[in-house]
């Protein structure tokens, strides 16, 4: 069983988490709910008990799926969910999708999530995206009221700047900052990670394997499904794809040297890098297969030399292309 660690605000979680978005159609193909439930049970069985979802994943279906796990295992799970993206991305006729953070919406969303999850409290409640039309102090103030009401235990933020993290933390302690972070995406390292370390806020990296950069070398359908999602990302098009393949090659070379898989090397690098920056980091890789959970867990036993960490970091510096076609909602405001 893996050990635990403490994020901010004294929130104790497993040292590796599970990203529930992998169990939705966003990566291609409709996942089988029974198989997905079996994967979730396996995660908890082996000690990956920090489960991450969001109200928009599958239009709420991901929360409903996790509710089936919680029926018998709620006390074993540290449950995180998110709100703050208005609209249903699965409903093409339903109008635009965008951030919303007013106090009334905060209260509405938690009640809806609790109903879907069939639980009375969420352990970690994230603001999924900051609403630029609403002061972050107002949004976090409303979230803090949920803590006082006993509906939420800890607060988190996703894809915010250092200044926004400071402003939110002044209203209520922030347990975790969720942002994309991997060898391929290091936006948060210069300014945001040091501020998180200063404030005692843990970091929860999503896409720690690089949005499928390792597809084709270690994993395929369980990570991305088909190629449509990847091909929509600038980093996987044209000359950027060719340039970024060199980073994959560096990861594969280190993996071959130490007898690990490329995924394990990518996760081990992130662990070493977080230690270097003085932050507590708990990645949340997602998968549809139980075997991949075991593979990811084994990364905790992988130790890289300082030279290997530096080599991989230097390779990551060469990544080109944006991580999304439209960066306005995923960190274009970051330092």
């Amino acid at each position: 069983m893996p050990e635990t660690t403490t994020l901010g605000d004294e929130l104790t979680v497993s040292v590796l988490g599970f990203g529930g978005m992998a169990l939705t159609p966003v990566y291609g193909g409709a996942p089988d709910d029974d198989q997905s439930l079996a994967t979730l049970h396996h995660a908890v069985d082996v000690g990956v008990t920090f489960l991450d979802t969001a109200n928009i994943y599958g239009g709420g279906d991901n929360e409903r799926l996790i509710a089936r796990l919680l029926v018998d295992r709620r006390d074993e799970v540290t449950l995180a969910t998110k709100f703050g993206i208005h609209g249903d991305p699965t409903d093409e006729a339903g109008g635009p999708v965008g951030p919303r953070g007013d106090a009334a919406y905060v209260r509405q969303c938690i009640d809806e999530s609790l109903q879907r999850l069939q639980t009375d409290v969420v352990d970690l409640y994230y603001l999924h995206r900051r609403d630029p039309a609403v002061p972050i102090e107002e949004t976090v103030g409303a979230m803090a009221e949920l803590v006082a009401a006993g509906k939420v235990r800890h607060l988190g933020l996703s894809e915010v700047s250092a200044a926004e993290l400071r402003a939110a933390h002044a209203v209520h302690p922030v347990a975790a900052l969720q942002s994309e972070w991997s060898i391929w995406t290091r936006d948060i390292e210069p300014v945001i990670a040091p501020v998180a370390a200063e404030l005692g806020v843990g970091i929860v990296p999503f896409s720690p394997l690089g949005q499928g950069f390792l597809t084709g070398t270690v994993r395929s359908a369980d990570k991305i499904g088909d190629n449509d999602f990847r091909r929509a990302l600038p980093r996987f098009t044209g000359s950027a794809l060719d340039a970024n393949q060199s980073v994959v090659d560096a990861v594969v070379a280190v993996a071959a040297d130490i007898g690990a898989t490329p995924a394990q090397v990518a996760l081990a690098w992130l662990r070493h890098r977080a230690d270097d920056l003085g932050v507590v980091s708990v990645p949340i890789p997602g998968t549809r297969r139980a075997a991949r959970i075991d593979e990811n867990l084994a990364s905790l036993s992988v130790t890289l030399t300082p030279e290997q960490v530096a080599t991989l970091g230097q390779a990551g510096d060469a990544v080109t292309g944006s991580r999304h076609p439209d960066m306005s909602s995923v960190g274009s405001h970051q330092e």
Side-chain angles (χ1 to χ4, degrees):
M1 300 290 282
E3 58 188 281
T4 60
T5 191
T6 303
L7 297 171
D9 197 29
E10 299 182 354
L11 172 60
T12 298
V13 299
S14 54
V15 292
L16 193 70
F18 181 90
M21 191 171 71
L23 305 179
T24 69
V26 70
Y27 290 129
D32 178 87
D33 281 352
D34 289 337
Q35 180 182 349
S36 295
L37 184 60
T39 298
L40 288 169
H41 274 291
H42 181 77
V44 177
D45 287 343
V46 297
V48 179
T49 56
F50 181 34
L51 305 184
D52 179 273
T53 184
N55 62 350
I56 65 163
Y57 291 171
D61 285 345
N62 197 243
E63 289 184 326
R64 296 184 186 96
L65 171 67
I66 289 176
R68 294 173 59 186
L69 172 82
L70 300 180
V71 168
D72 299 317
R73 311 192 72 169
R74 179 65 185 92
D75 291 344
E76 299 175 69
V77 168
T78 304
L79 175 64
T81 193
K82 313 177 199 69
F83 81 99
I85 300 179
H86 178 63
D88 183 355
T90 67
D91 181 7
E92 295 183 359
V97 175
R100 181 176 172 186
D102 57 277
Y105 193 61
V106 174
R107 292 188 287 269
Q108 172 190 333
C109 286
I110 188 59
D111 288 341
E112 291 172 348
S113 283
L114 290 173
Q115 195 279 327
R116 284 189 292 266
L117 289 162
Q118 291 295 289
T119 189
D120 57 0
V121 63
V122 167
D123 298 303
L124 176 59
Y125 199 43
Y126 286 104
L127 172 62
H128 205 163
R129 293 293 184 269
R130 186 266 168 106
D131 184 349
V134 178
I136 196 166
E137 293 87 350
E138 176 183 332
T139 305
V140 176
M143 294 170 69
E145 292 175 3
L146 303 181
V147 177
K151 296 181 179 182
V152 169
R153 292 193 172 107
H154 302 272
L155 303 185
L157 304 171
S158 180
E159 294 280 13
V160 298
S161 70
E164 290 163 345
L165 178 58
R166 284 190 187 279
H169 194 72
V171 174
H172 187 279
V174 175
L177 168 65
Q178 184 171 140
S179 285
E180 186 174 349
W181 190 14
S182 69
I183 294 173
W184 292 267
T185 301
R186 303 175 62 185
D187 310 34
I188 70 169
E189 290 186 21
V191 177
I192 298 172
V195 169
E198 173 195 334
L199 298 176
V201 176
I203 298 179
V204 176
F206 69 87
S207 295
L209 303 181
Q211 291 185 329
F213 269 106
L214 296 180
T215 300
T217 59
V218 289
R219 54 190 60 186
S220 53
D222 64 309
K223 178 59 185 167
I224 293 296
D226 56 30
N227 287 329
D228 292 341
F229 176 77
R230 272 201 309 146
R231 288 173 179 164
L233 305 179
R235 290 181 175 179
F236 291 95
T237 58
S239 60
L241 178 58
D242 293 335
N244 294 333
Q245 180 62 39
S246 65
V247 189
V248 176
D249 294 341
V251 174
V252 170
V254 171
D257 285 344
I258 64 176
T261 69
Q264 290 166 351
V265 168
L267 290 169
W269 177 88
L270 189 55
R271 186 178 71 249
H272 282 277
R273 186 65 184 138
D275 288 345
D276 289 343
L277 292 170
V279 294
V280 176
S281 171
V282 180
I284 50 169
T287 180
R288 295 178 183 178
R289 300 182 184 180
R292 296 304 187 195
I293 295 173
D294 296 336
E295 177 187 349
N296 293 338
L297 266 180
S299 71
L300 298 174
S301 299
V302 173
T303 300
L304 304 176
T305 67
E307 292 76 18
Q308 289 168 333
V309 173
T311 296
L312 293 169
Q314 290 167 3
D317 288 340
V319 171
T320 63
S322 298
R323 53 193 176 103
H324 286 277
D326 177 8
M327 289 291 292
S328 63
S329 66
V330 290
S332 61
H333 55 284
Q334 292 186 1
E335 297 81 357

